[in-house]
Amino acid sequence: MMILHCTPSSPISVNILKSSPLTRRTTVRCSVKIQKNILNAMDSGSSKFSLCPCGRKHFLGEATTTTPFLPISPSHASQSSSSEVLNKLRPPKPDWYFELYGWFRSSGMERYEKEIAGYKKKLFSQVGNAEKVLEIGIGAGPNIKYYNTLPNVSILGVDPNPKMESYARKSAIEAGLKSEDFKFIHAVAECIPLEDASVDAVVTSLVMCSVTDVTQTLSEIKRILKPGGRYLFVEHVAAEDGSFLRMVQNMLDPVQQVVADGCHLIRPTGESLLKAEFPGGVDINKVSLTSFYHLSPHIYGVAYN
């Protein structure tokens, strides 16, 4: 296992580095009108791409592809604008597709969840005294049971698949969560209809692989987190360049995107987390799992807002 700590002004290193805190943060505000103009621009075929400025490859591995950048950073995304972005980034699919994927996330991940449980217990113990937790890509709700030790906790679950709500609510009930303490939000990670600085903690688990825009998703997480809030993540990432596993991932990636609701196998999510420049820095742990060999390289950790 390797542990990396990085702050916004520090160089990338496997050691713990010191850095002065940010003295100023700027929130990008975007009106609903501007959001619509951006969406119209997307229709015309224009696009932007985010690239790592350093050009260096680090121990987490680096994909040869880039992630399209969708420049939507609302100060407060309304429900209507959020729905518009949802339909643009995730066009409606047949109900059978949503049902099938919902069933798989509920019943087909038992072996994975069993292996990852030890890491998740360690990670979620660092959620602090959060009372309002937002989980992006909540799916069937396998993580809800890790929150039941928090007094007075309420859970907001965001997912673009509307069929996940019934599975997530079932998991919430099984975890002992009161019905009024769980709310499902049908939205995408790139445009979440919540106020700035409105949640104590954000969680993603196997989510960054399938969002349309990793950079925008991380910006949304920083926006909705309260100062001092924490972002907890468990994500599979691209294997090292030149490795046999990376070759397998490169071959399977197009198929994976089709059968697994947009999941990419070769995303350098660790690199994206470092470039997001969370004010309090990021702790990243790298591990390998045996379940689902093509998803073996994993990172987990905490980013501090």
Side-chain angles (χ1 to χ4, degrees):
M1 179 185 296
M2 303 182 73
I3 300 176
L4 181 143
H5 182 79
C6 181
T7 54
S9 60
S10 64
I12 297 174
S13 172
V14 181
N15 299 317
I16 295 178
L17 304 174
K18 295 182 178 180
S19 170
S20 59
L22 291 180
T23 57
R24 180 181 179 184
R25 294 182 63 199
T26 302
T27 301
V28 179
R29 298 182 178 272
C30 179
S31 67
V32 173
K33 181 178 180 180
I34 294 176
Q35 293 176 37
K36 291 182 178 179
N37 289 338
I38 292 169
L39 291 169
N40 291 334
M42 290 174 59
D43 286 330
S44 65
S46 63
S47 61
K48 294 184 180 180
F49 295 89
S50 58
L51 300 174
C52 179
C54 64
R56 292 160 52 190
K57 295 179 180 179
H58 312 294
F59 75 89
L60 290 172
E62 180 177 76
T64 56
T65 58
T66 56
T67 302
F69 177 69
L70 178 66
I72 304 175
S73 295
S75 172
H76 174 208
S78 67
Q79 186 62 56
S80 60
S81 62
S82 177
S83 298
E84 187 174 358
V85 176
L86 166 67
N87 291 330
K88 180 67 65 172
L89 298 185
R90 292 288 186 120
K93 293 182 173 67
D95 279 352
W96 67 262
Y97 182 93
F98 286 133
E99 289 281 8
L100 180 63
Y101 194 64
W103 171 84
F104 172 74
R105 289 300 297 266
S106 176
S107 305
M109 299 289 288
E110 292 181 2
R111 184 161 58 95
Y112 169 83
E113 290 297 337
K114 184 176 180 180
E115 183 175 3
I116 200 72
Y119 298 112
K120 284 189 174 182
K121 288 178 181 177
K122 180 180 179 181
L123 175 63
F124 291 124
S125 68
Q126 302 180 61
V127 73
N129 297 318
E131 293 187 354
K132 192 171 185 180
V133 176
L134 169 70
E135 182 164 350
I136 300 174
I138 195 167
N143 299 324
I144 296 178
K145 60 179 177 289
Y146 297 106
Y147 311 135
N148 60 8
T149 58
L150 298 173
N152 305 316
V153 68
S154 62
I155 308 297
L156 300 173
V158 170
D159 206 286
N161 183 343
K163 300 299 181 180
M164 290 297 187
E165 180 174 4
S166 60
Y167 293 105
R169 286 196 176 278
K170 180 181 177 181
S171 295
I173 293 172
E174 292 175 349
L177 198 68
K178 296 178 181 178
S179 177
E180 60 267 26
D181 290 332
F182 176 79
K183 180 181 179 181
F184 183 87
I185 301 173
H186 185 212
V188 287
E190 292 86 349
C191 191
I192 301 173
L194 293 177
E195 297 280 356
D196 294 2
S198 59
V199 301
D200 302 303
V202 174
V203 174
T204 65
S205 176
L206 302 183
V207 169
M208 291 299 174
C209 59
S210 59
V211 299
T212 302
D213 190 325
V214 175
T215 301
Q216 176 59 27
T217 297
L218 292 172
S219 294
E220 277 289 88
I221 290 171
K222 291 168 66 178
R223 178 184 70 80
I224 61 182
L225 268 177
K226 294 178 181 178
R230 300 179 180 187
Y231 164 43
L232 288 71
F233 53 87
V234 181
E235 301 289 345
H236 71 81
V237 295
E240 289 189 30
D241 276 336
S243 66
F244 176 75
L245 178 53
R246 180 59 177 273
M247 181 181 69
V248 172
Q249 288 180 330
N250 287 339
M251 290 189 299
L252 294 180
D253 189 55
V255 177
Q256 179 78 2
Q257 292 179 45
V258 174
V259 302
D261 202 22
C263 172
H264 293 71
L265 296 176
I266 53 176
R267 285 234 168 124
T269 302
E271 297 286 345
S272 299
L273 281 163
L274 297 177
K275 290 190 291 182
E277 297 187 344
F278 281 84
V282 183
D283 290 321
I284 299 177
N285 305 270
K286 185 180 181 184
V287 298
S288 294
L289 304 179
T290 59
S291 302
F292 302 106
Y293 173 70
H294 60 302
L295 306 180
S296 174
H298 266 56
I299 59 171
Y300 73 94
V302 183
Y304 303 89
N305 205 34

